Amino acid sequence: MVAKILVTGGAGFIGSEVVRQLATQESSSVVVLDCLTYAANLDSLAQVQGRFALEQANVCDGNAVRRILAEHQPTAIMHLAAESHVDRSIDGPAAFIETNIVGTYTLLEETLKYYKGLTGAARDQFRFHHISTDEVFGSLNLQDPAFTEHTPYHPRSPYSASKASADHLVRAWHETFGLPVVLSNCSNNYGPWQFPEKLIPVVIGKALSGKPIPVYGKGENIRDWLHVSDHAQALRLILAQGRIGESYNIGGNAECTNLDLVRKICQLIDELAPNKDGTAHEQLITYVADRPGHDLRYAIDCGKIQRELGWKPRETLDSGMRNTVTWYLNHRSIYDRAQAKGERLGLSKQ
């Protein structure tokens, strides 16, 4: 039986990597549901063009979701559609409440109706995989142990609060209505095709254009970095083999301060695309006012997925970052087109 997987947000950064990987499998058929907001990029799916069906729709539109489920009859859903940028959530929380909470609720309701109509093997094999973030767990101090699947939720931004709400809804639809779900919470992703409002593409773009590279506060905030290809491989494995009702943390085993990360990127660009006058790109680093409620540290303990499913990241921070910087250097036109849609970094306007 060929699996038909509906990927919401499949034209986004992480979603498109999932689709590219799924579309190369003969055992999978893929449907992309995406409303094609500013952060979507159909160029990212060009290499698998013809190997997926595209449905331009919003997960908040129950009628559209119902039609798509009825027409395509998916055997599984991977829910990645979300507003995801913390800075934008500070300026405009409403879009995050609408997409991440109302959209997830709408998708769950329509999926439950669809699931109840399935019989036999189709019902037994059906899965709903909700993809979330480690930001739902809040902020760690330097001495704190890493987040596990049992860490209490403590979201501190409109974005993380909206994702925490979505997580709770998914668990409720499993416990109350019997929808077969799996969940995952990941650390900070990076890699090719990331929209240039996020830290790493912002740094690369500013460095290559000789503009000031903004770093929040003193750059002391710590993140665990996960290459998007490793993340997508983990998501596919969780969908196929994860235990129903369980959640899995996915991390890159690559904690780094923001300042050290920016310096690492600058050093790579010094090597791969040096300035003609020999000056170091690190000289462009400029400290800007910190983001409101900026969490100090995120760290993921991904022991559970390693023990149960045998997954661990393949990319180190050094190898993944070299891969990423090289990709952006080789795809400047794609980056420039995405950047023209706008970036967001700085203080809230409120």
Side-chain angles (χ1 to χ4, degrees), residues 30-274:
V30 186
V31 180
V32 172
L33 189 166
D34 201 298
C35 64
L36 302 181
T37 64
Y38 76 96
N41 190 342
L42 290 176
D43 288 343
S44 66
L45 298 174
Q47 71 184 68
V48 292
Q49 189 64 41
R51 284 182 271 176
F52 68 91
L54 175 63
E55 291 281 359
Q56 184 175 353
N58 193 315
V59 289
C60 297
D61 184 344
N63 290 331
V65 172
R66 191 177 313 124
R67 174 190 62 78
I68 292 166
L69 292 174
E71 289 184 8
H72 293 282
Q73 296 286 303
T75 58
I77 295 173
M78 300 180 77
H79 179 35
L80 293 105
E83 295 288 343
S84 67
H85 193 42
V86 176
D87 289 346
R88 288 183 185 271
S89 81
I90 295 170
D91 274 356
F96 290 74
I97 304 304
E98 181 69 14
T99 298
N100 299 354
I101 301 178
V102 177
T104 299
Y105 159 74
T106 303
L107 182 63
L108 285 169
E109 278 287 82
E110 296 304 328
T111 299
L112 183 61
K113 295 173 188 175
Y114 169 74
Y115 172 68
K116 287 181 175 178
L118 298 177
T119 58
R123 184 182 179 90
D124 294 339
Q125 294 173 9
F126 185 80
R127 300 289 183 271
F128 182 102
H129 183 182
H130 177 62
I131 290 85
S132 189
T133 171
D134 61 356
E135 296 191 35
V136 299
F137 300 123
S139 182
L140 293 170
N141 292 318
L142 296 180
Q143 71 276 13
D144 289 338
F147 298 134
T148 72
E149 290 78 5
H150 299 291
T151 299
Y153 276 33
H154 188 198
R156 288 156 46 95
S157 71
Y159 162 62
S160 59
S162 69
K163 290 298 290 185
S165 299
D167 290 5
H168 291 322
L169 287 173
V170 172
R171 288 192 176 92
W173 259 244
H174 169 65
E175 297 292 344
T176 304
F177 304 115
L179 187 67
V181 308
V182 286
L183 300 92
S184 57
N185 297 81
C186 69
S187 58
N188 284 44
N189 278 229
Y190 71 99
W193 297 106
Q194 190 169 30
F195 188 74
E197 65 185 355
K198 299 298 179 74
L199 176 61
I200 289 173
V202 164
V203 173
I204 296 171
K206 298 295 187 185
L208 292 177
S209 60
K211 297 178 180 179
I213 298 171
V215 174
Y216 280 138
K218 297 179 181 179
E220 296 174 336
N221 303 78
I222 297 171
R223 299 294 181 262
D224 173 39
W225 293 96
L226 172 67
H227 195 276
V228 68
S229 64
D230 283 333
H231 186 199
Q233 289 162 1
L235 294 180
R236 289 164 47 214
L237 191 60
I238 291 168
L239 181 70
Q241 300 179 26
R243 289 186 288 137
I244 296 300
E246 293 289 319
S247 63
Y248 295 86
N249 282 356
I250 310 170
N253 295 330
E255 283 189 64
C256 187
T257 69
N258 287 348
L259 182 57
D260 285 344
L261 182 75
V262 172
R263 285 173 172 163
K264 184 184 293 288
I265 295 170
C266 288
Q267 290 163 7
L268 280 168
I269 296 176
D270 287 344
E271 174 192 342
L272 300 172

Side-chain angles (χ1 to χ4, degrees), residues 264-318:
K264 184 184 293 288
I265 295 170
C266 288
Q267 290 163 7
L268 280 168
I269 296 176
D270 287 344
E271 174 192 342
L272 300 172
N275 287 321
K276 292 181 180 179
D277 61 4
T279 57
H281 287 89
E282 190 174 320
Q283 296 179 9
L284 297 170
I285 292 174
T286 303
Y287 298 97
V288 300
D290 207 355
R291 180 169 71 201
H294 200 177
D295 292 341
L296 174 62
R297 172 176 170 245
Y298 304 144
I300 283 278
D301 179 344
C302 49
K304 179 178 178 179
I305 188 174
Q306 184 170 347
R307 291 189 303 271
E308 293 192 9
L309 306 181
W311 177 89
K312 60 181 179 180
R314 298 177 183 178
E315 298 283 359
T316 65
L317 186 57
D318 286 339

